[in-house]
Amino acid sequence: MVETNAGAFLLPGPVNMHPRVLQAMSAPAMNHRGPEFKEILSEIHGLTQYLFGTRGPVAVLSGSGTAGLEAAVSGLLRKQDRVLNLVNGKFSERFHELCQVFTTPTALSFEWGTAVDSGKVAAALDSGDFHAVTLCWNETSTGLTNPIAEIAKVVKDHDAFLIVDGITAVGGLENRMEAWGIDALVTGSQKCLAAPPGLSAVALSKAAYESLHADTSFYTNLKAHADALAKQDTPFTPAVPLFLAFREALRMLKEEGLDNRIARTRRLAEAARAGFDALDLRLFPDRRFASNTVTAVRYPTGLDDAAFRKELREKRGTVVAGGQGPLKGHIFRIGHMGICSFEDLEAGFQAFETTLARMGHITVR
Amino acid sequence: MVETNAGAFLLPGPVNMHPRVLQAMSAPAMNHRGPEFKEILSEIHGLTQYLFGTRGPVAVLSGSGTAGLEAAVSGLLRKQDRVLNLVNGKFSERFHELCQVFTTPTALSFEWGTAVDSGKVAAALDSGDFHAVTLCWNETSTGLTNPIAEIAKVVKDHDAFLIVDGITAVGGLENRMEAWGIDALVTGSQKCLAAPPGLSAVALSKAAYESLHADTSFYTNLKAHADALAKQDTPFTPAVPLFLAFREALRMLKEEGLDNRIARTRRLAEAARAGFDALDLRLFPDRRFASNTVTAVRYPTGLDDAAFRKELREKRGTVVAGGQGPLKGHIFRIGHMGICSFEDLEAGFQAFETTLARMGHITVR
């Protein structure tokens, strides 16, 4: 079906995996309670702390990013705890839904594509006794990065826990979790780390770790997972192949250097934004807060989402994501995190340009 | 470290995986919301129904067997519901712990290594208003299969839900879930199916499906998972490589034929029991209820568990499991499920015999 091999896999997750990572995953069965797996967990423990930039407790769960968010919320909070959910996109909206199951949440909403306003957060915290605040650091659905440092300062000033969805941020955006005062920071394996989907990781502040309880969850019991990893163990059978791939991806991150990866991701984002400017496509989010890991662009009037993405996929071997919720049909999104290269991005833009031209939306220059 | 390649990997899970399964797992990244993955989920839906022997609703979760158990318990029951937990080993004990988080459970305990007595179950159900009963069908920790058909009859007579941990049973033991009246049957990918660890599957009766609610869990929300699979979707990002491996393992099960696999597993178990008899080692469980998927044997007096398993592993390339909880040091356990062959078993027994002789516990004949 694909006419060319020059395409690019540019989803905002799962992202391209390196052959080293794929190969690590296909090892034969292993005793997950034996000495070999203990060594693997020990290495993962250290490398995950490196990824998060912390020396504090971390947990790795066999479950997607949502499992990590559930672990953080259900482990730190109780049903009666009041929580302020900062909502400005699909993923922060889901974070709010999750909090409805485990806590007593209030949503503070902002227009999709605009950033969370820390002044409004301060006002909301002044008006009520909130135990915690949740923030989706990088809103994958709108391609927007919220100003986490200033939001964190407001939350700390109000002495609440800050629980952060960093699923498409950690490993791709500058992260100072300890300096800023993040209490729980969650990521997923299939984003900036470029490992397969299926694992999530949670890093905790000392205060958060000391507040963990086990009243409202079992499989995602965060204390059990954090304590087990510190002893090179897991509370339940781990998804062994994913741990092997995760370790290899973490090794590759460390070989590149976290700061180098973040800088490369920023340069890729700048190139992507320049590319869309050149194609006369408009960014969806407020440009001042455009994400460095995910770029979301508006479709020109009359360009059909399904037809565009089908043509891209089938004729150009290029995979991008559409919009979600109210943005479905109005935007498309590309990821440029993980091991994404300038060549991948260039191949993607060649496909975009050709496809836009074939569909009559630009004149080939 | 291993002096011989003739060893065997005989854990009671994770079990050996076929090269086809390993290869399927190492495919490049894929759009989990695209048409290709929808086809994969459609095939998995049908093959999972085949595995369970049902035409009813099934769910596949990105999480270990414990995630599947949590999905069943938290989806079907509520905090105030009274539940009778049948406990006769480590895994039924953990099932009871899980129920403490989501329901109001009572344990009905039997000595480890003896079967659940359906007469006592009837008496317990007569004495209280129980909404559900949990059973660990095959107690992996003691190598014992509970008499599920007669227990199910008692539970049905009392009009309670029957929630079954079939993690080391489904695909290895004769299963008539609809005829017996099982309401929720849970399995794990890394046992009789011989896929990698990290996925669980849950099959539901019609009545159970209609009782599902979403009040006490989010990541393991069973209704969300079952409804999504019926529409070739998943509620959260799936562990894509594990789904690819799971599909391949299910295809291999269907190629062999479910009945053939169950019959082969029984013959392997008979061979294992005969082998231990020949080595003068005593089975741990009540022989009438000895499992066909896992065999647990007592150590002869004076044989050290750690030394035996280390020698087996390092000198004979053979991996078996020790005991758990109060059985630690007293028994070891082997699995003979999934794609385990008579050659695997023979290699294992050669390693057992040599190691027992080297450690002075038998005379080589």
Side-chain angles (χ1 to χ4, degrees):
Chain A
M1 285 204 294
V2 174
E3 287 176 3
T4 167
N5 287 321
F9 189 80
L10 292 174
L11 283 187
V15 303
N16 255 336
M17 293 177 277
H18 194 275
R20 275 174 59 182
V21 171
L22 295 175
Q23 197 185 348
M25 187 160 48
S26 62
M30 182 183 294
N31 182 1
H32 58 294
R33 305 292 180 216
E36 192 184 356
F37 198 66
K38 281 200 176 294
E39 277 180 38
I40 291 163
L41 289 176
S42 172
E43 190 177 346
I44 285 175
H45 186 222
L47 287 168
T48 309
Q49 288 181 320
Y50 174 77
L51 167 71
F52 281 109
T54 181
R55 299 296 301 164
V58 294
V60 178
L61 287 83
S62 295
S64 80
T66 306
L69 295 176
E70 174 174 314
V73 169
S74 69
L76 271 170
L77 306 173
R78 293 167 192 270
K79 191 71 191 173
Q80 69 277 16
D81 287 335
R82 290 194 66 198
V83 179
L84 185 69
N85 298 140
L86 308 176
V87 175
N88 63 339
K90 178 75 184 165
F91 289 95
S92 39
E93 198 173 82
R94 180 189 283 176
F95 206 173
H96 176 54
E97 284 168 32
L98 189 155
C99 285
Q100 286 169 338
V101 174
F102 298 103
T103 71
T104 302
T106 301
L108 177 62
S109 297
F110 301 87
E111 195 184 341
W112 289 28
T114 69
V116 167
D117 177 333
S118 56
K120 290 187 177 160
V121 176
L125 291 175
D126 284 339
S127 74
D129 185 24
F130 289 101
H131 199 74
V133 175
T134 69
L135 172 70
C136 182
W137 179 354
N138 192 69
E139 243 308 345
T140 317
S141 67
T142 65
L144 180 138
T145 300
N146 282 304
I148 189 166
E150 56 184 77
I151 297 164
K153 186 170 185 312
V154 167
V155 176
K156 289 299 101 184
D157 287 348
H158 287 79
D159 206 26
F161 278 133
L162 178 59
I163 305 177
V164 174
D165 170 349
I167 292 172
T168 56
V170 175
L173 305 181
E174 189 201 2
N175 172 21
R176 298 284 175 262
M177 76 169 281
E178 292 178 355
W180 294 338
I182 299 176
D183 291 294
L185 180 55
V186 178
T187 194
S189 50
Q190 80 281 22
K191 305 288 188 177
C192 303
L193 194 58
L199 298 185
S200 53
V202 187
L204 292 163
S205 70
K206 192 163 174 288
Y209 175 78
E210 284 167 2
S211 290
L212 291 178
H213 66 88
D215 279 359
T216 59
S217 103
F218 192 83
Y219 185 68
T220 61
N221 180 331
L222 188 52
K223 181 161 166 50
H225 284 277
D227 288 349
L229 187 58
K231 294 182 299 183
Q232 297 88 53
D233 203 356
T234 59
F236 312 114
T237 301
V240 175
L242 302 183
F243 277 74
L244 294 171
F246 189 64
R247 176 178 65 163
E248 198 63 28
L250 284 163
R251 285 172 170 174
M252 290 186 67
L253 172 79
K254 192 159 187 190
E255 288 166 18
E256 179 173 4
L258 182 58
D259 290 342
N260 292 334
R261 176 164 295 187
I262 291 168
R264 183 170 57 73
T265 305
R266 190 189 64 241
R267 290 195 303 274
L268 284 163
E270 289 164 353
R273 292 190 286 262
F276 286 122
D277 287 345
L279 290 172
D280 278 334
L281 296 183
R282 280 171 59 210
L283 284 194
F284 175 74
D286 180 338
R287 197 169 191 106
R288 292 170 298 166
F289 299 99
S291 168
N292 284 345
T293 62
V294 183
T295 296
V297 296
R298 296 174 196 266
Y299 279 119
T301 308
L303 182 55
D304 182 69
D305 170 51
F308 176 70
R309 289 194 294 130
K310 186 166 193 262
E311 170 110 2
L312 267 185
R313 186 177 70 243
E314 294 184 0
K315 299 289 201 305
R316 305 289 143 200
T318 292
V319 178
V320 303
Q324 293 166 300
L327 295 179
K328 197 172 171 64
H330 299 292
I331 65 169
F332 72 96
R333 299 172 299 136
I334 66 168
H336 27 71
M337 57 187 107
I339 61 165
C340 181
S341 68
F342 283 90
E343 290 71 23
D344 294 330
L345 210 56
E346 195 178 340
F349 271 90
Q350 281 175 1
F352 302 153
E353 184 164 6
T354 307
T355 304
L356 287 167
R358 283 173 62 125
M359 295 178 76
H361 280 275
I362 53 169
T363 336
V364 175
R365 289 157 295 182
Chain B
M1 284 205 293
V2 175
E3 286 176 3
T4 167
N5 288 321
F9 189 81
L10 292 173
L11 284 187
V15 303
N16 254 336
M17 293 176 279
H18 193 275
R20 275 174 57 181
V21 171
L22 295 176
Q23 197 185 347
M25 187 160 49
S26 62
M30 182 183 295
N31 182 1
H32 59 294
R33 304 292 179 217
E36 192 185 357
F37 198 66
K38 280 199 176 295
E39 277 180 38
I40 290 163
L41 289 175
S42 173
E43 190 178 346
I44 285 175
H45 186 223
L47 287 168
T48 309
Q49 288 181 320
Y50 175 77
L51 167 71
F52 280 109
T54 181
R55 299 295 301 164
V58 294
V60 178
L61 288 83
S62 294
S64 80
T66 305
L69 296 175
E70 174 174 312
V73 169
S74 68
L76 272 170
L77 307 173
R78 292 166 193 271
K79 191 72 191 171
Q80 68 277 16
D81 287 334
R82 290 196 65 198
V83 179
L84 186 69
N85 299 138
L86 307 177
V87 176
N88 64 339
K90 178 75 185 166
F91 290 95
S92 39
E93 199 173 82
R94 182 190 282 177
F95 207 173
H96 176 53
E97 284 169 31
L98 189 155
C99 285
Q100 287 169 337
V101 174
F102 297 103
T103 71
T104 302
T106 302
L108 177 63
S109 297
F110 301 87
E111 195 184 340
W112 289 28
T114 69
V116 167
D117 178 332
S118 55
K120 291 187 177 159
V121 176
L125 291 176
D126 285 339
S127 76
D129 184 25
F130 289 101
H131 198 74
V133 175
T134 70
L135 171 71
C136 182
W137 179 353
N138 192 69
E139 242 308 345
T140 317
S141 67
T142 66
L144 180 137
T145 301
N146 283 304
I148 189 167
E150 56 183 76
I151 297 165
K153 187 171 183 314
V154 166
V155 176
K156 289 299 101 183
D157 287 347
H158 287 79
D159 206 26
F161 278 133
L162 178 59
I163 305 177
V164 174
D165 170 350
I167 292 171
T168 57
V170 175
L173 306 180
E174 191 203 2
N175 171 20
R176 298 286 174 261
M177 74 169 282
E178 292 178 356
W180 294 337
I182 299 176
D183 290 294
L185 180 54
V186 178
T187 194
S189 51
Q190 79 281 22
K191 305 287 187 175
C192 303
L193 193 59
L199 298 186
S200 54
V202 187
L204 291 163
S205 69
K206 193 164 173 290
Y209 175 77
E210 285 167 1
S211 291
L212 291 177
H213 66 87
D215 278 0
T216 59
S217 101
F218 191 83
Y219 185 68
T220 62
N221 180 332
L222 188 51
K223 182 161 165 48
H225 284 277
D227 288 348
L229 187 58
K231 294 182 299 183
Q232 297 89 52
D233 204 357
T234 58
F236 312 114
T237 300
V240 174
L242 302 183
F243 277 73
L244 294 172
F246 189 63
R247 176 178 67 163
E248 198 63 28
L250 283 164
R251 284 173 170 174
M252 291 186 67
L253 172 78
K254 193 159 188 192
E255 287 166 19
E256 179 174 5
L258 182 58
D259 290 343
N260 292 334
R261 176 164 294 185
I262 290 168
R264 183 169 57 72
T265 305
R266 190 189 64 240
R267 292 195 302 274
L268 284 163
E270 288 164 354
R273 293 191 286 260
F276 286 122
D277 287 345
L279 289 173
D280 278 335
L281 295 184
R282 283 170 58 210
L283 285 194
F284 175 74
D286 182 338
R287 196 168 191 105
R288 293 171 297 165
F289 299 99
S291 168
N292 284 345
T293 61
V294 183
T295 295
V297 296
R298 295 173 195 269
Y299 279 118
T301 308
L303 182 55
D304 182 70
D305 170 51
F308 176 69
R309 290 194 295 130
K310 185 166 194 262
E311 171 107 3
L312 268 185
R313 187 177 68 242
E314 294 184 358
K315 299 288 200 303
R316 305 290 144 200
T318 292
V319 178
V320 303
Q324 296 167 298
L327 296 178
K328 196 173 171 65
H330 299 292
I331 66 169
F332 71 96
R333 299 172 299 137
I334 65 167
H336 27 71
M337 58 187 110
I339 61 165
C340 182
S341 67
F342 283 89
E343 290 71 24
D344 293 330
L345 211 56
E346 196 179 339
F349 272 90
Q350 282 177 1
F352 302 154
E353 185 164 5
T354 307
T355 305
L356 287 167
R358 283 173 65 124
M359 294 178 77
H361 280 273
I362 54 170
T363 338
V364 174
R365 289 158 293 182

